[in-house]
Amino acid sequence: MKIHKKTGSFLLACSLVLLTGCGSSSASTSLAETVATANMISDTSTITPIIVEQPLTVAETETLLFVREEEKLARDVYLTLYNQWGSNIFQNIANNGEQQHMDAIKVLVDAFGYVDPVSSNEVGAFTDAEILKLYNDLVARGMISSQEALMVGGFIEEYDIKDLQDAIDEAKQGTNQAAVIQTYDSLLCGSRNHLRSFVGQIEKDGLVYQAQYVSQATVDAIVNSPEEKCGQ
């Protein structure tokens, strides 16, 4: 994936959704500038100052841009399934969870000066061909029944959990920047809570949830533990 960088120092990044206003950096600010990102506390965002220290590696950059669209995938699928089935779990997680996850990654995308792969906020619009195909496949599956739609929710959260953990491991082995690792960790915590919600609803409907993307042991460990206060 081509890396797009702005010349000169990194800019002070502000998420328009998470912040009511953006400050400006001074002329003397060095490469290691303070930026704002979101810690997810039960998917209610607060802003914690963190430092962007250096450019990301090529692999880290590709992962960051992929995760940005991956979080949009989750939001868009949930909004589509809400429109189909009217189940509030989809609307709540899309609007109060996945949108905040998108915004948190956007903070980092802007801070590193990359071109945002989310060129359109339209539901179902994606730059990455892999994500577009996955979106179409998951929506088609979720249209089969309301129960299958909940299973799709479980799959997406497992998918996110695996990718975010891989992203954290990659970041630690790469430039090891707290700004990136803390953001991924917050999103990972939120995804675990989302999985708990979907599995809880599925089991409330009298079904047994089986792991779809990660190991059954991983799913069991998550759903059998209490909801987390992310970022605390």
Side-chain angles (χ1 to χ4, degrees):
M1 183 176 294
K2 185 176 180 181
I3 303 174
H4 301 276
K5 297 180 181 177
K6 294 179 180 177
T7 59
S9 299
F10 291 130
L11 300 179
L12 181 65
C14 296
S15 169
L16 296 178
V17 176
L18 297 177
L19 298 175
T20 57
C22 293
S24 59
S25 58
S26 67
S28 61
T29 304
S30 66
L31 181 64
E33 293 181 295
T34 301
V35 298
T37 194
N39 273 336
M40 304 303 165
I41 304 177
S42 295
D43 284 337
T44 299
S45 300
T46 60
I47 305 303
T48 302
I50 51 180
I51 301 297
V52 171
E53 300 167 351
Q54 65 187 84
L56 298 176
T57 65
V58 172
E60 288 176 287
T61 299
E62 291 178 348
T63 295
L64 179 66
L65 299 178
F66 185 86
V67 170
R68 168 76 168 141
E69 284 205 284
E70 187 176 41
E71 297 301 335
K72 184 177 187 294
L73 163 74
R75 187 203 67 175
D76 289 3
V77 171
Y78 295 159
L79 289 176
T80 302
L81 295 181
Y82 171 73
N83 288 336
Q84 174 68 19
W85 302 111
S87 179
N88 287 334
I89 189 172
F90 294 113
Q91 185 181 50
N92 291 339
I93 292 179
N95 293 335
N96 299 324
E98 303 302 345
Q99 182 62 58
Q100 292 179 358
H101 289 192
M102 286 178 62
D103 297 338
I105 296 298
K106 178 66 160 54
V107 169
L108 289 177
V109 170
D110 289 348
F112 285 106
Y114 300 137
V115 173
D116 187 5
V118 178
S119 58
S120 170
N121 199 45
E122 179 183 355
V123 170
F126 299 98
T127 300
D128 189 285
E130 176 185 344
I131 292 181
L132 175 60
K133 182 181 185 303
L134 184 57
Y135 168 80
N136 289 329
D137 290 346
L138 291 173
V139 166
R141 179 185 171 191
M143 292 295 179
I144 295 173
S145 69
S146 59
Q147 291 178 337
E148 195 65 25
L150 291 171
M151 293 293 185
V152 166
F155 173 86
I156 288 174
E157 298 307 330
E158 288 188 45
Y159 186 87
D160 282 358
I161 286 167
K162 175 64 167 60
D163 277 4
L164 287 167
Q165 185 58 63
D166 288 347
I168 291 170
D169 293 342
E170 178 184 74
K172 288 181 177 179
Q173 294 168 11
T175 58
N176 196 35
Q177 295 185 66
V180 177
I181 295 169
Q182 289 171 0
T183 300
Y184 286 154
D185 189 61
S186 292
L187 269 59
L188 180 58
C189 179
S191 291
R192 290 193 296 264
N193 281 341
H194 297 167
L195 180 61
R196 292 182 180 102
S197 296
F198 280 117
V199 173
Q201 184 60 55
I202 289 167
E203 293 182 344
K204 183 179 178 181
D205 293 341
L207 302 176
V208 176
Y209 184 81
Q210 299 292 331
Q212 303 176 75
Y213 195 76
V214 300
S215 70
Q216 189 65 49
T218 297
V219 170
D220 290 345
I222 292 171
V223 301
N224 292 328
S225 59
E227 181 174 335
E228 298 168 75
K229 298 295 184 182
C230 305
Q232 294 184 339

